[in-house]
Amino acid sequence: MCQYSCTEGLANSWHAVHLGQFAIGGASIVFTEAAAVTEGGRISPNDLGIWNDAQAEALAPIAGFIREQGAAPGVQLAHAGRKASTARPWEGGGPLSPEQGGWSDIVAPSALPFAPGHAEPRAASDGDIAAVRAGFVSAARRALEAGFEVVEIHAAHGYLLNEFLSPLSNRRTDQYGGSLENRTRLLREVIADVRTVWPERLPLFVRISTTDWTEGGWDVEQSVELSGQMEALGVDLIDCSSGGNVADAKIPVGAGYQTAAAARIRREARIPVGAVGMITQPAQADTIIRTEQADLVLLAREMLRDPHWPQRAASALHQPAPVPVQYGRAWG
């Protein structure tokens, strides 16, 4: 979950406490928020970054603390695409002009704004695409040096890589547009690029939006086809989210509303998947795993509400709770 609390992309004491609490609370993997791989790839001026060495150095002790608590530190690598240069949610979330602290050079697959009132991006050139690919590679290398043990490539929620996937945001006529093969090309290239620096022994996840929830857009069938190619590229798990690329999409949000798509990808593409979205109860998460709908469950908002959710879930399911020795007296 983005915290929008950085200056110049640098993690600070907020991030140390915010992320550290989840490791103390028993999570098995603790992911950072989306870390921008280029300065122009931030959602807001206050985003976390990993496009330079100072940012990686600021993240290193946080990754170390997470690891010391028995969890795997993970980092999510992202580029905001046409959703870049916006204000923080509690400051309205709207587009920012350069005079307001935003920036004007916003790239996307095509010159299509995300929504009315948003800045019109420019269609990415070959040079822009090469820079994006290089940004992901450099970010993955820095993540490794900082001590992270899992990398997730963010290709969901209407950010750049997701924009290339969807025909609603990608109207290109070159090798990166048109056919499914072409629209998925950049993501496949980024995955292959990242695997040149991210060791085979460490997991590589990819987060996708399984559907745009809009007719004529990206859908589960295309997600299955793309996911079926991922394992050969070095991907270990597909994190199955949805939506975010169409501003007025009608999304049927409800308990476990994205799990069916995850289960279908797992079954048909034969690759491990993570389920996410309105999973709040221990029995609900347990059922998803036991019935083989997914290989792991990822929580975000529920963990913000209760950082000790994994410990409470373990107790509710009569499993050993991973509790720090400092807290042992409280848990009995």
Side-chain angles (χ1 to χ4, degrees), residues 44-122:
S44 82
N46 309 100
D47 279 22
L48 181 67
I50 193 166
W51 71 82
N52 65 41
D53 292 344
Q55 294 160 349
E57 290 167 5
L59 285 165
I62 300 174
F65 180 81
I66 291 169
R67 191 167 52 252
E68 288 167 4
Q69 306 313 306
V75 61
Q76 191 179 73
L77 306 182
H79 189 296
R82 65 180 182 173
K83 282 187 164 183
S85 190
T86 60
R88 296 186 284 195
W90 57 87
E91 295 172 344
L96 291 176
S97 67
E99 294 73 28
Q100 296 171 310
W103 50 97
S104 58
D105 190 22
I106 299 170
V107 298
S110 303
L112 300 169
F114 170 63
H118 281 244
E120 180 175 308
R122 62 179 178 83

Side-chain angles (χ1 to χ4, degrees), residues 79-317:
H79 189 296
R82 65 180 182 173
K83 282 187 164 183
S85 190
T86 60
R88 296 186 284 195
W90 57 87
E91 295 172 344
L96 291 176
S97 67
E99 294 73 28
Q100 296 171 310
W103 50 97
S104 58
D105 190 22
I106 299 170
V107 298
S110 303
L112 300 169
F114 170 63
H118 281 244
E120 180 175 308
R122 62 179 178 83
S125 66
D126 289 347
D128 294 323
I129 289 172
V132 166
R133 291 177 60 180
F136 274 95
V137 171
S138 296
R141 183 183 295 111
R142 291 189 182 97
L144 181 65
E145 293 170 352
F148 286 98
E149 296 178 337
V150 188
V151 154
E152 178 169 86
I153 296 170
H154 198 339
H157 300 169
Y159 300 127
L160 184 69
L161 296 178
N162 185 196
E163 293 164 17
F164 270 88
L165 297 179
S166 174
L168 298 179
S169 46
N170 183 348
R171 305 287 176 81
R172 300 174 74 95
T173 57
D174 63 1
Q175 62 177 334
Y176 291 101
S179 67
L180 179 63
E181 180 181 4
N182 284 354
R183 285 183 281 113
T184 61
R185 187 182 306 279
L186 179 57
L187 176 55
R188 290 185 285 108
E189 288 177 340
V190 166
I191 292 167
D193 291 343
V194 167
R195 263 304 182 197
T196 65
V197 297
W198 190 249
E200 186 177 350
R201 62 182 173 81
L202 295 177
L204 176 62
F205 294 3
V206 175
R207 166 164 268 203
I208 64 170
S209 282
T210 58
T211 174
D212 283 337
W213 297 109
T214 302
E215 186 176 354
W218 183 260
D219 55 28
V220 178
E221 287 72 24
Q222 293 172 87
S223 292
V224 169
E225 188 165 345
L226 171 61
S227 298
Q229 303 173 40
M230 294 259 204
E231 194 167 27
L233 294 170
V235 174
D236 295 291
L237 180 136
I238 309 296
D239 174 357
C240 299
S241 189
S242 71
N245 193 47
V246 177
D248 58 355
K250 302 298 186 290
I251 302 176
V253 177
Y257 71 105
Q258 297 171 147
T259 304
R264 181 173 172 186
I265 289 172
R266 186 181 191 273
R267 182 176 63 252
E268 297 183 17
R270 298 184 181 279
I271 187 170
V273 302
V276 63
M278 297 291 284
I279 300 169
T280 61
Q281 301 301 316
Q284 179 190 12
D286 189 54
T287 297
I288 290 169
I289 301 301
R290 288 186 184 275
T291 58
E292 299 184 345
Q293 298 174 70
D295 298 277
L296 57 80
V297 166
L298 302 112
L299 295 95
R301 288 173 174 84
E302 189 62 19
M303 290 290 283
L304 295 186
R305 289 186 282 264
D306 181 5
H308 293 272
W309 190 93
Q311 291 158 347
R312 298 185 191 282
S315 295
L317 297 169

